[in-house]
Amino acid sequence: ERIVRASAKTGAPLLVGHQHLFAPAYEELRTLARGRGGVLTESYAGGMGPFRSYSPLWDYGSHDVAMFLGLVANPGAGAATSCVRLGAGTFEVRMRAGTSFGTLRVSNSSASKHRRFVASVADDVLEYDDMFPDGIKLSVNGRVKETSREKPLTRQVRAFAAAVSTGRMGWQFDHAFAVAVVRALRDADAMTSAS
């Protein structure tokens, strides 16, 4: 919130980079999900480490919270959040935004690195998997849907440059959206830190 205020005061551009939002598979998933009513999401993310002085919610959860909020009608409004610790380094976050609900499981004590994000909307099941052997994939009702294989970081850097040069920010750079992601993580972290 202080950084957003400083940006507004100085006019310096502020761009928060939630990398998965720029993945072609996520962009297609978002296009297929938005405007069709409430979304139910489940996501699983983790790996062995990193081990830091703070919760793995901030390492893994930030991506999944941003991906969930990117699907709801008003991402900048945020979401009601609850969190429980399931074990050493493993957390379950539950979010509600309007008629959309998300369950996120993150862990820094998983045997292998993984990220799956599944969204159910209307009669469709949309699955984003960033550990697919050939790169990130999107499946729609169990069938792989072809999307660009361009790397999310490449797209993100290009979007950063365009936003800075034109002054037009995409939805991914909305300041209210960035603050909503951090608030959700702060609330989830506070619930597990107090227990």
Side-chain angles (χ1 to χ4, degrees), residues 126-137:
L126 314 169
E127 182 180 347
Y128 172 100
D129 184 347
D130 84 340
M131 299 308 293
F132 198 62
D134 295 331
I136 298 170
K137 76 166 183 172

Side-chain angles (χ1 to χ4, degrees), residues 46-71:
M48 185 52 72
F51 302 103
R52 307 184 199 272
S53 61
Y54 53 83
S55 168
L57 287 168
W58 294 95
D59 282 313
Y60 293 106
S62 60
H63 301 291
D64 298 58
V65 168
M67 291 169 77
F68 169 75
L69 288 177
L71 299 181

Side-chain angles (χ1 to χ4, degrees), residues 59-163:
D59 282 313
Y60 293 106
S62 60
H63 301 291
D64 298 58
V65 168
M67 291 169 77
F68 169 75
L69 288 177
L71 299 181
V72 303
N74 185 5
T81 305
S82 66
C83 183
V84 295
R85 183 186 306 262
L86 300 177
T90 303
F91 301 86
E92 181 175 279
V93 179
R94 292 183 181 250
M95 303 179 71
R96 179 181 50 79
T99 58
S100 295
F101 297 88
T103 302
L104 300 69
R105 291 180 193 88
V106 299
S107 177
N108 69 350
S109 58
S110 298
S112 60
K113 189 169 172 109
H114 60 282
R115 170 163 278 102
R116 279 184 56 235
F117 183 87
V118 181
S120 300
V121 58
D123 294 328
D124 291 324
V125 177
L126 314 169
E127 182 180 347
Y128 172 100
D129 184 347
D130 84 340
M131 299 308 293
F132 198 62
D134 295 331
I136 298 170
K137 76 166 183 172
L138 172 65
S139 298
V140 179
N141 299 322
R143 293 190 180 99
V144 175
K145 182 171 178 55
E146 285 300 316
T147 59
S148 167
R149 297 283 184 190
E150 188 175 23
K151 301 276 187 211
L153 183 57
T154 302
R155 294 170 73 95
Q156 181 181 20
V157 169
R158 192 169 44 250
F160 274 7

Side-chain angles (χ1 to χ4, degrees), residues 15-40:
L15 304 122
V16 177
H18 295 289
Q19 186 172 328
H20 290 275
L21 303 183
F22 295 90
Y26 178 78
E27 289 177 340
E28 180 68 17
L29 184 150
R30 185 174 187 268
T31 297
L32 293 171
R34 297 240 331 153
R36 296 178 63 196
V39 179
L40 179 64

